[in-house]
C-alpha cells in the first residue's frame, strides 16, 4: 500500500524540496511505496486529509492529528539516521 507523506517548511519551496527528495530516495532504498508532496505550514492550518505522515522543518500547530516528524536533521545532518528510521517505522 502506498503511503502519503507531506513535507512542509515555511514557504513550501526550497527546504521542502531538499527534504522531499531525501525521503523519496530513502524510501526507494527500503522498498517503501510512498508519494511525497510538499507544502507550507499554512496548508496544514487550512486543513489537510489523506496523509499518513508529516515531516516538518518548521513548528506545527498542536491541533494537527496526523503524526509529525521533525525534519531539521535533513538540513543539519545531526540525527538524520534516527529520523529516517522514525520515518520507516511510521510508514510500515
Amino acid at each position: 500500500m502506498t503511503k502519503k507523506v507531506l513535507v512542509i517548511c515555511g514557504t513550501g519551496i526550497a527546504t521542502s524540496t531538499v527534504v522531499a527528495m531525501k525521503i523519496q530516495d530513502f524510501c526507494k532504498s527500503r522498498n517503501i511505496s510512498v508519494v511525497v508532496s510538499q507544502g507550507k505550514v499554512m496548508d496544514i492550518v487550512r486543513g489537510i486529509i489523506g496523509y499518513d505522515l508529516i515531516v516538518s522543518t518548521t513548528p506545527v500547530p498542536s491541533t494537527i492529528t496526523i503524526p509529525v516528524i521533525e525534519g531539521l536533521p535533513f538540513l543539519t545532518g545531526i540525527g538524520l539516521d534516527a529520523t529516517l528510521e522514525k520515518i520507516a517505522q511510521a510508514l510500515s
Side-chain angles (χ1 to χ4, degrees), residues 7-23 38-39 55-58 71-72 74-76:
V7 178
I8 61 168
C9 66
T11 62
I13 302 172
T15 303
S16 62
T17 300
V18 171
V19 175
M21 290 173 48
K22 289 181 181 180
I23 291 171
Q38 298 167 231
V55 178
S56 178
T57 61
T58 189
L72 194 56
F74 285 97
L75 306 177
T76 65

Side-chain angles (χ1 to χ4, degrees), residues 37-84:
S37 302
Q38 298 167 231
K40 53 186 175 261
V41 174
M42 288 309 297
D43 294 337
I44 62 171
V45 170
R46 290 186 193 114
I48 56 169
I49 56 171
Y51 287 95
D52 299 293
L53 180 66
I54 295 172
V55 178
S56 178
T57 61
T58 189
V60 173
S62 61
T63 56
I64 302 304
T65 57
I66 298 168
V68 177
I69 292 178
E70 170 63 47
L72 194 56
F74 285 97
L75 306 177
T76 65
I78 299 169
L80 181 57
D81 290 340
T83 299
L84 290 169

